[in-house]
Amino acid sequence: MLTLFKNCNKRRTLLCLSAASLLLSGGQFAAANAAGQDCLLPTAAFSGGSVHSKENSAIARKELYEQMSAATGISWFRFAAIDQYERTMIKKKNSSDKVQAHPRLTGINIPAPVWSGPLNPDQEDRSPQSISFFGGFGRDGSGDGVADPDNDADVLYSMASHLLKYGDSPSDFNIGVWEYYHNGRATQRVAQFAKLYEHFGRLDLSGSAFPLPVGTTYSYNSTWGTGRSWGGARIHEGTDLFTPHGMTVRSTCIGVVETKGWNRFGGWRIGIRDIENRYHYYAHLAGYEKSIARGDIVVPGQTIGWVGSSGYGKPGTQGKFPPHLHYGIYRDRGITEWAFDPYPLLKQWENQEFRALKKHKK
């Protein structure tokens, strides 16, 4: 069975490094208990400190991932991927919701029966010993003798303890994620997010582009929700951008190519998953950029294919309607995906590019 630390000396060394990094950045160090504690990582700067901006929050989160990576051997981008998946599952808070006195940095929320143990009579248990006795998930990652599900270091360390039961290879990590969520979609999303974070080496993966070259000949209107005349009773889940056959189709985001191939409704199509767990769907293509394959990483403005009139039949069916790009966006909610109207985003991206081109010309 794998252990999180090879010996006490390594643990103390990691503590010193973590403390030094916090002192240099002006943070506070949560003093560690004796070497017999689970994992000892500084938490005051992460769990109890105020977050002044989204940028500062991202910096602090990455520092936390990296420190936990040094302590456990699990790569920082894997912690980041699990955290990001959890963030995309969180529903927007209502104005009536209580504001936490000490907002957390991470978005991982572990249910009480999982944290404390399903048979634990105290579902608010914070004792690492009794939680372990009842087979609970919770561990003490901050060295304060408490396993607190509202403490970022405790949560990440507990997740690491679970993952390392299955090994430390990428495939072992995927198994551990599946064993936690018991959801193949969740496992796929976490793997996709980890791939993006590893490739770019940063948390900020924002950026956008209009799906067609701006300034070219095209037209589009909001066609969301209109009825479809082929394939049974259904609504139009996207926006049609009419443009000449062969017009370049571009990626609108940083993401991973999730699907590529024929669909009887969409013809030759590509689907791209971004870091916000949105699925960008491009349909009725004439063909693909040859270098693009499933699993590839793409960036905004990158050519992924060309406009056509494919679909509404068996593979290769063409010309049953004028050439156009059908563009849709779907958001993953864990069990199902829900489409939403992409028209406002398309107008936003188009205007941004026009402004950028105008500024560049000056």
Side-chain angles (χ1 to χ4, degrees):
M1 180 178 178
L2 292 174
T3 58
L4 292 180
F5 297 98
K6 299 299 183 181
N7 51 53
C8 293
N9 290 333
K10 180 179 179 182
R11 184 183 303 178
R12 294 192 185 97
T13 300
L14 290 170
L15 275 173
C16 294
L17 291 173
S18 298
S21 67
L22 284 179
L23 289 172
L24 289 172
S25 62
Q28 294 178 344
F29 178 66
N33 286 347
Q37 295 288 348
D38 262 336
C39 170
L40 308 176
L41 284 177
T43 60
F46 300 112
S47 300
S50 61
V51 179
H52 300 292
S53 70
K54 185 176 181 180
E55 181 180 358
N56 289 342
S57 174
I59 292 173
R61 276 193 292 128
K62 191 165 185 291
E63 288 179 352
L64 179 57
Y65 302 147
E66 289 172 340
Q67 290 177 10
M68 193 61 69
S69 175
T72 66
I74 297 176
S75 300
W76 73 268
F77 51 82
R78 303 197 191 283
F79 286 119
I82 294 173
D83 189 10
Q84 181 62 16
Y85 176 73
E86 293 269 344
R87 287 167 175 272
T88 65
M89 294 293 108
I90 295 175
K91 295 181 180 179
K92 291 185 177 180
K93 294 183 178 181
N94 298 321
S95 57
S96 60
D97 291 343
K98 292 182 178 180
V99 178
Q100 289 181 313
H102 301 294
R104 288 179 52 196
L105 285 172
T106 65
I108 302 173
N109 290 291
I110 301 173
V114 177
W115 183 267
S116 301
L119 300 180
N120 192 332
D122 180 9
Q123 288 294 290
E124 299 297 322
D125 195 356
R126 299 295 182 265
S127 168
Q129 291 75 24
S130 57
I131 288 175
S132 179
F133 177 81
F134 285 104
F137 200 85
R139 299 289 185 271
D140 173 23
S142 59
D144 60 0
V146 177
D148 185 357
D150 293 323
N151 181 298
D152 289 312
D154 289 359
V155 169
L156 288 182
Y157 182 76
S158 300
M159 183 63 72
S161 299
H162 164 77
L163 294 171
L164 288 175
K165 293 177 184 177
Y166 303 93
D168 55 5
S169 71
S171 60
D172 293 332
F173 172 78
N174 291 336
I175 293 171
V177 172
W178 191 91
E179 289 292 344
Y180 178 72
Y181 291 106
H182 293 283
N183 183 330
R185 294 163 67 95
T187 306
Q188 182 186 29
R189 302 294 176 265
V190 171
Q192 290 168 328
F193 296 166
K195 186 172 186 176
L196 289 171
Y197 284 134
E198 180 182 18
H199 179 82
F200 291 99
R202 65 178 191 270
L203 294 183
D204 181 10
L205 298 180
S206 59
S208 60
F210 193 67
L212 302 175
V214 295
T216 57
T217 303
Y218 59 79
S219 64
Y220 68 103
N221 292 297
S222 179
T223 54
W224 172 263
T226 58
R228 300 288 84 189
S229 59
W230 190 87
R234 58 196 181 94
I235 67 169
H236 191 231
E237 296 182 343
T239 296
D240 289 335
L241 297 94
F242 291 89
T243 190
H245 190 281
M247 181 66 69
T248 299
V249 175
R250 311 186 302 169
S251 173
T252 56
C253 63
I254 292 176
V256 176
V257 177
E258 187 172 305
T259 57
K260 177 187 175 185
W262 184 266
N263 176 286
R264 67 192 182 99
F265 298 117
W268 301 117
R269 82 337 184 180
I270 282 183
I272 298 171
R273 180 76 53 182
D274 71 15
I275 200 67
E276 298 299 329
N277 211 349
R278 298 178 300 188
Y279 178 76
H280 302 246
Y281 176 68
Y282 312 76
H284 307 313
L285 302 179
Y288 307 109
E289 166 59 45
K290 291 183 179 180
S291 63
I292 297 293
R294 287 184 60 184
D296 284 355
I297 292 174
V298 294
V299 296
Q302 180 177 340
T303 299
I304 58 175
W306 294 271
V307 171
S309 57
S310 62
Y312 287 11
K314 63 182 180 180
T317 304
Q318 305 273 346
K320 291 189 175 183
F321 44 80
H324 68 278
L325 170 67
H326 170 94
Y327 176 76
I329 305 183
Y330 298 75
R331 181 175 289 280
D332 186 3
R333 284 304 181 193
I335 303 300
T336 58
E337 284 192 312
W338 299 92
F340 63 94
D341 188 358
Y343 181 77
L345 283 175
L346 288 169
K347 294 300 294 184
Q348 176 184 326
W349 297 336
E350 183 184 31
N351 291 334
Q352 285 176 347
E353 286 204 52
F354 272 126
R355 287 195 296 269
L357 287 173
K358 186 176 181 180
K359 183 178 180 180
H360 181 71
K361 288 181 179 179
K362 290 181 178 180

